[in-house]
Amino acid sequence: MIRTGTFKSAHPGWLTLTAPPIKGLGSQAHHKVVIKRPFYRVYSDAATQSGPYKIGQYSLADDIKKLFVEANVLFWAKSLLQLTYTFIDHCIASSSTPLPFSIPRVRFVEAGLALSFAQGVSKVMTKAGSAWAVFLLEELIRGSDEAFMKFIHNMDSNPLLQHDNYSHDLSLFFAFTQHVQYVKTGGLAFISDYQGSTEVLSDPQILTHPSVSDGCDIFGDGNIEMAVDKFEEQHVCNHYCKWEGFGLSEFEPAPEIL
């Protein structure tokens, strides 16, 4: 096992497609991937939900539902990030003022859902050819565990990394992308839970305003809607936000409660 998160476990694996694409996930035989599957904790003390626990697995129907949401979040995160870079590139090309800093270029992992089918009669599945498990396959992020960082949490719009961390500037850039996405979507949505390496990101979350989707849960349990509602109060503009070429208005900080 690579790691256990709050909702999913991650395992090493490989992918071979019979008709591989030219590039991307599965473009090579035995392509190294991360295999993710949702789980729940079964605590020894069920009353307090604390202490030692065992890993419990959901039914196939629940697994499919949960992983479809995960894949959907990743799809929309890629779209919002592309929207951000399109905005950035347009502003840079249109501005008469030289850009005083470089723009980090990052992307989200390539990923896809994979269904596992029974090959024959077994105790688990008696009907050959029936699906018995589903997994989320993701591109493997290269590097050591220390290279994997969480830049922004989904409970707060401000960077987690301190000024003395070498990736602090990247976390400021991600805060800026939230500002752009918030403005370009009319205050309805932005990416949060930025995490991964300095080049490739994984496990994002889409935060949406309470008015989006009429209260339906389209982006999972990590969608903290109130974070969008309070974004203008919590977001602190940085040097990316303040460059005049982007034309972003600086939000007024929330008044201090005495």
Side-chain angles (χ1 to χ4, degrees):
M1 183 181 295
I2 297 175
R3 69 174 63 88
T4 300
T6 306
F7 305 110
K8 300 186 299 295
S9 58
H11 310 262
W14 53 265
L15 172 66
T16 297
L17 299 176
T18 54
I22 297 176
K23 61 180 181 178
L25 196 66
S27 58
Q28 54 186 273
H30 285 73
H31 202 155
K32 289 184 177 180
V33 296
V34 176
I35 303 173
K36 295 185 176 181
R37 192 178 189 186
F39 72 91
Y40 60 91
R41 291 174 169 82
V42 182
Y43 288 95
S44 56
D45 188 344
T48 61
Q49 293 290 292
S50 61
Y53 64 87
K54 294 181 179 180
I55 297 295
Q57 297 294 343
Y58 294 100
S59 66
L60 175 62
D62 287 338
D63 268 352
I64 291 176
K65 181 180 178 180
K66 290 178 179 295
L67 289 182
F68 179 82
V69 170
E70 291 285 335
N72 188 51
V73 168
L74 189 56
F75 173 83
W76 282 102
K78 287 184 176 184
S79 297
L80 282 171
L81 187 60
Q82 182 57 53
L83 170 70
T84 306
Y85 278 121
T86 299
F87 168 81
I88 290 172
D89 294 340
H90 174 75
C91 290
I92 293 174
S94 303
S95 177
S96 58
T97 305
L99 189 70
F101 43 73
S102 60
I103 297 294
R105 297 286 169 172
V106 297
R107 63 178 178 84
F108 284 103
V109 291
E110 296 294 327
L113 294 180
L115 283 166
S116 180
F117 292 86
Q119 300 300 308
V121 177
S122 69
K123 294 181 180 179
V124 178
M125 183 66 65
T126 58
K127 186 177 180 181
S130 298
W132 68 274
V134 61
F135 307 96
L136 178 65
L137 305 187
E138 288 187 359
E139 168 190 1
L140 178 65
I141 297 178
R142 304 291 178 177
S144 63
D145 289 341
E146 289 74 19
F148 193 96
M149 294 172 282
K150 184 181 282 283
F151 299 94
I152 295 181
H153 196 271
N154 63 342
M155 295 288 290
D156 195 340
S157 299
N158 294 305
L160 290 173
L161 301 182
Q162 300 300 315
H163 290 274
D164 57 352
N165 190 293
Y166 74 98
S167 294
H168 176 69
D169 187 73
L170 183 55
S171 66
L172 292 178
F173 174 74
F174 290 143
F176 155 73
T177 66
Q178 291 183 325
H179 190 160
V180 174
Q181 293 156 13
Y182 178 84
V183 171
K184 300 302 287 185
T185 62
L188 295 180
F190 57 81
I191 302 170
S192 191
D193 243 8
Y194 276 109
Q195 57 190 310
S197 71
T198 55
E199 297 178 351
V200 185
L201 305 171
S202 177
D203 288 318
Q205 183 57 57
I206 304 294
L207 302 188
T208 59
H209 189 271
S211 64
V212 174
S213 72
D214 296 324
C216 296
D217 182 14
I218 59 175
F219 290 125
D221 296 333
N223 183 7
I224 312 299
E225 295 178 336
M226 293 306 296
V228 180
D229 199 32
K230 296 183 177 181
F231 180 76
E232 294 186 24
E233 299 177 16
Q234 296 180 345
H235 174 77
V236 178
C237 286
N238 56 61
H239 63 285
Y240 290 104
C241 306
K242 295 177 181 179
W243 182 58
E244 61 183 23
F246 291 137
L248 296 174
S249 299
E250 189 170 352
F251 298 128
E252 292 292 333
E256 294 185 8
I257 300 177
L258 301 177

